Amino acid sequence: MSTLRYNFYKLAPKSFQNLLALSDGLNRELLGRKLVDLVLLRISQINGCGFCIDMHYQDLLKLEVDPRHVNAVAGWREAPFFSERERAALEWAELINAIPVRDPDDAAYARLQQHFSAEEIAELGFVVAVIRSWNMLNVASRNPIPR
């Protein structure tokens, strides 16, 4: 269990509100609320953000996603619960989250294009960018999971 190092939302309220507005402005209807939350959960798992993992796990359960499906997000490649569209989004999200260590190559982009329009791909990029920001802030500040 971690102890809060600093309260970034109180110490930098304007920046916090701007990031919150960006989060709230994501077009969840374009991609689908479930898909957005699956991506938010997966990137939070990779980035080790317990606060965000807890939040997005709960959000998926509120959407009445089967708990087995939610629990399998970390192993989506092996799990039978994910559609081809979800698999393409999760693969792309992992690739762009790993920049600069990994390169989102043309083959992965071609797979993504089979399931998403250019507008949806752009929005997916913002989903990953937003959660990376929240993950970084929460992990650095050691923002604890609420009880």
Side-chain angles (χ1 to χ4, degrees):
M1 185 165 148
S2 58
T3 302
L4 185 66
R5 286 179 171 157
Y6 57 92
N7 189 326
F8 64 85
Y9 43 92
K10 287 186 178 175
L11 294 169
K14 184 176 179 183
S15 296
F16 171 77
Q17 287 300 320
N18 287 334
L19 185 57
L20 188 60
L22 181 59
S23 294
D24 290 343
L26 292 174
N27 190 343
R28 287 171 171 81
E29 288 72 33
L30 177 67
L31 293 171
R33 297 188 72 77
K34 176 184 167 189
L35 180 65
V36 169
D37 279 318
L38 288 171
V39 169
L40 295 173
L41 175 59
R42 181 62 188 132
I43 298 306
S44 296
Q45 289 171 334
I46 292 168
N47 293 337
C49 182
F51 184 91
C52 293
I53 291 168
D54 182 66
M55 177 190 308
H56 299 299
Y57 180 87
Q58 289 183 54
D59 289 346
L60 284 159
L61 294 181
K62 287 175 190 170
L63 292 174
E64 299 183 0
V65 176
D66 184 323
R68 284 185 73 205
H69 188 148
V70 178
N71 192 51
V73 170
W76 64 267
R77 287 176 178 81
E78 292 80 28
F81 310 117
F82 300 92
S83 69
E84 290 304 311
R85 179 176 165 87
E86 290 168 338
R87 291 176 187 283
L90 290 166
E91 177 188 30
W92 187 252
E94 287 182 1
L95 285 169
I96 64 175
N97 183 60
I99 292 170
V101 177
R102 290 181 65 194
D103 177 37
D105 62 24
D106 291 340
Y109 186 67
R111 287 190 297 277
L112 186 70
Q113 287 179 302
Q114 293 174 6
H115 303 281
F116 293 91
S117 68
E119 181 184 10
E120 290 171 321
I121 292 169
E123 192 67 30
L124 184 57
F126 277 101
V127 171
V128 175
V130 165
I131 197 60
R132 278 182 74 154
S133 297
W134 287 118
N135 292 164
M136 184 261 321
L137 290 165
N138 282 306
V139 170
S141 69
R142 291 194 176 158
N143 195 7
I145 298 171
R147 292 191 173 241

